[in-house]
Amino acid sequence: MRSDTLQSEYEKLNVLIVRVTCLCWLPAKLLGWRMFTTSRIFPAVPVFKIFDHLPPAIHNILFGLSVLSLIILFIVPKNKLFIVVLLAVEILSCLLDQNRLQPWDYLYMFTLFIFMVNPGKPKSAVIAFSFIIVSTYFYGGLGKVNDGFLQTIWSKMILHLFLKISTKTTQQHWLLYGGLCVGFFELTAAIGLLFLKTRKVSAALLILMHLFILLFLGPFGLNYNRIIWPWNIAMILYLYFIFFKEEGIILSYKLIFSGRNIPVFIFWGILPALNLVGYWDNYLSSGLYSGKLPQMLICIKDTSKCRGLKPFCKPDYRHLCNGCNTVDLGYWALSETNVAPYPEIRVYKKLQRKLELQYPAAGLSFIYLLNGKKQN
């Protein structure tokens, strides 16, 4: 392929990546509009306490600017001004509430960063972006090789709830530990994306994986966590356009180790590895549906003193709250906002302090769980 033709192909890919990002980001923002504004009971958890005192209008303005910028960028994907504006708006929005920093939001923000720092360098932008895609699958697969994934995601959600296999059967060793193949499959396919000979096959297999996820979590499956449906569609399109369709595109990853793409290598190549030893956040390490995300339960002695929480209360099925009504934080967030809470204990503890101040007479107590076990 001639260099001028190849340059043109890279430029077309740049436009496609931006448009796919906007097309799939916008419905996620609209589905989760309550989390991205303050029209909710679920408390905001800003990075800095001073942001607690900002008026709700600031959140609403940022949300409006985000939606407007996405629409404009879809129409004019080469507009650098709106790339910068959208990135700045998203960063500030996440600073005002850490729960907004979802895995898809994080990936999309880095997509904007790539196009911001690579003006006039379409090849460099495509390579940096493709590295993020490879990293997502590599660390996503690696993160699923654990007992939490086998017990919660594989055994309970996929085998029992989706495939209707009895609980007793799902615990048979050959079937339970067969779930490890899921993580190794994703990890191996990620490595396959790096090489020209295996790139197309790996992309095809990962596309099939996303189609299964859409069936599994979609309206014909569990009808659960709708906000990640557009992200799965985006990943299918990314895989098709970058790794499957464009056979002549050479992905030389040497460009990742120098220049303005170094932050991409650090944040997607190095830091996610620290998550394996607990020193980097789950959502920043492609840890969604890894089965190792911490949970928070709220035990309530007197629900009449916290009427806002009553719609999310359930009986103490797990027998962890001494018979008190229970609110599962994840269920609350998804039910009210369509967005899961940011799964880190430090964020949960900030939420705890806010709820204790908001409902002092309700007799609230809090339990943190990791792999079904209580944490301090």
Side-chain angles (χ1 to χ4, degrees), residues 190-353:
I191 296 172
L193 292 176
L194 296 171
F195 303 100
L196 191 59
K197 289 184 178 180
T198 55
R199 191 166 75 189
K200 183 175 282 192
V201 172
S202 295
L205 290 172
L206 288 167
I207 287 171
L208 289 174
M209 181 188 78
H210 284 290
L211 291 173
F212 173 79
I213 292 171
L214 286 169
L215 180 63
F216 161 51
L217 295 177
F220 298 106
L222 302 186
N223 196 24
Y224 180 72
N225 205 2
R226 290 180 293 166
I227 205 160
I228 71 165
W229 299 355
W231 184 31
N232 279 274
I233 294 170
M235 296 301 283
I236 289 172
L237 295 173
Y238 293 148
L239 287 164
Y240 176 74
F241 286 121
I242 299 174
F243 298 97
F244 191 85
K245 183 183 177 184
E246 299 293 345
E247 295 184 11
I249 293 292
I250 307 292
L251 299 176
S252 174
Y253 290 101
K254 290 180 181 179
L255 291 173
I256 291 295
F257 305 114
S258 61
R260 297 178 180 181
N261 284 328
I262 289 178
V264 174
F265 174 68
I266 293 172
F267 279 87
W268 289 87
I270 297 176
L271 292 178
L274 300 180
N275 176 257
L276 301 174
V277 288
Y279 288 105
W280 193 244
D281 287 0
N282 292 290
Y283 272 7
L284 310 186
S285 308
S286 306
L288 186 65
Y289 287 102
S290 64
K292 58 180 182 178
L293 305 182
Q295 297 173 281
M296 174 173 152
L297 297 180
I298 306 166
C299 306
I300 307 172
K301 288 184 179 179
D302 188 352
T303 55
S304 67
K305 304 297 183 181
C306 55
R307 295 188 182 276
L309 302 185
K310 286 187 75 172
F312 313 106
C313 285
K314 289 187 175 183
D316 185 18
Y317 293 123
R318 302 194 202 183
H319 307 291
L320 295 171
C321 289
N322 297 318
C324 294
N325 282 293
T326 305
V327 174
D328 182 299
L329 192 74
Y331 170 76
W332 174 13
L334 281 170
S335 299
E336 187 183 11
T337 71
N338 283 322
V339 181
Y342 194 74
E344 298 297 332
I345 297 293
R346 69 175 190 279
V347 176
Y348 292 168
K349 291 195 173 182
K350 286 185 178 182
L351 274 164
Q352 174 180 336
R353 288 192 288 272

Side-chain angles (χ1 to χ4, degrees), residues 18-32:
V18 173
R19 282 194 164 139
V20 167
T21 299
C22 294
L23 183 67
C24 297
W25 199 350
L26 183 58
K29 296 285 287 191
L30 296 176
L31 277 169

Side-chain angles (χ1 to χ4, degrees), residues 39-50:
S39 300
R40 51 184 161 112
I41 300 169
F42 196 89
V45 185
V47 174
F48 305 110
K49 194 172 182 180
I50 191 172

Side-chain angles (χ1 to χ4, degrees), residues 140-159 176-184 186 212 216 287-293 371:
L142 195 60
K144 291 179 177 67
V145 184
N146 67 81
D147 188 62
F149 174 81
L150 295 179
Q151 293 292 345
T152 58
I153 310 301
W154 173 248
S155 177
K156 182 179 179 181
M157 293 185 70
I158 297 176
L159 297 181
L176 177 65
Y177 289 99
L180 292 173
C181 296
V182 176
F184 287 118
E186 192 174 345
F212 173 79
F216 161 51
L288 186 65
Y289 287 102
S290 64
K292 58 180 182 178
L293 305 182
N371 294 331

Side-chain angles (χ1 to χ4, degrees), residues 19-211:
R19 282 194 164 139
V20 167
T21 299
C22 294
L23 183 67
C24 297
W25 199 350
L26 183 58
K29 296 285 287 191
L30 296 176
L31 277 169
W33 70 273
R34 289 187 182 278
M35 186 62 85
F36 292 97
T37 63
T38 54
S39 300
R40 51 184 161 112
I41 300 169
F42 196 89
V45 185
V47 174
F48 305 110
K49 194 172 182 180
I50 191 172
F51 289 155
D52 263 328
H53 306 294
L54 292 178
I58 299 295
H59 297 257
N60 299 335
I61 290 169
L62 290 173
F63 176 70
L65 283 173
S66 177
V67 170
L68 180 62
S69 298
L70 284 169
I71 294 171
I72 293 173
L73 270 179
F74 180 80
I75 298 169
V76 282
K78 293 185 178 181
N79 191 307
K80 300 299 188 294
L81 173 61
F82 278 95
I83 287 176
V84 174
V85 168
L86 181 54
L87 180 59
V89 164
E90 286 301 313
I91 291 173
L92 182 54
S93 179
C94 291
L95 288 174
L96 297 186
D97 187 357
Q98 295 170 76
N99 293 297
R100 296 168 182 165
L101 188 55
Q102 297 291 305
W104 43 270
D105 206 59
Y106 184 63
L107 186 149
Y108 294 152
M109 283 195 289
F110 256 94
T111 303
L112 296 176
F113 172 79
I114 286 167
F115 288 105
M116 184 182 73
V117 300
N118 287 289
K121 297 179 179 179
K123 179 180 179 180
S124 182
V126 168
I127 289 169
F129 182 75
S130 65
F131 180 81
I132 285 179
I133 300 301
V134 171
S135 169
T136 299
Y137 293 117
F138 181 83
Y139 285 110
L142 195 60
K144 291 179 177 67
V145 184
N146 67 81
D147 188 62
F149 174 81
L150 295 179
Q151 293 292 345
T152 58
I153 310 301
W154 173 248
S155 177
K156 182 179 179 181
M157 293 185 70
I158 297 176
L159 297 181
H160 180 58
L161 295 178
F162 179 58
L163 297 178
K164 308 301 182 184
I165 298 174
S166 70
T167 303
K168 182 178 179 180
T169 303
T170 64
Q171 292 303 304
Q172 293 185 19
H173 281 76
W174 67 272
L175 185 56
L176 177 65
Y177 289 99
L180 292 173
C181 296
V182 176
F184 287 118
F185 163 82
E186 192 174 345
L187 190 154
T188 305
I191 296 172
L193 292 176
L194 296 171
F195 303 100
L196 191 59
K197 289 184 178 180
T198 55
R199 191 166 75 189
K200 183 175 282 192
V201 172
S202 295
L205 290 172
L206 288 167
I207 287 171
L208 289 174
M209 181 188 78
H210 284 290
L211 291 173

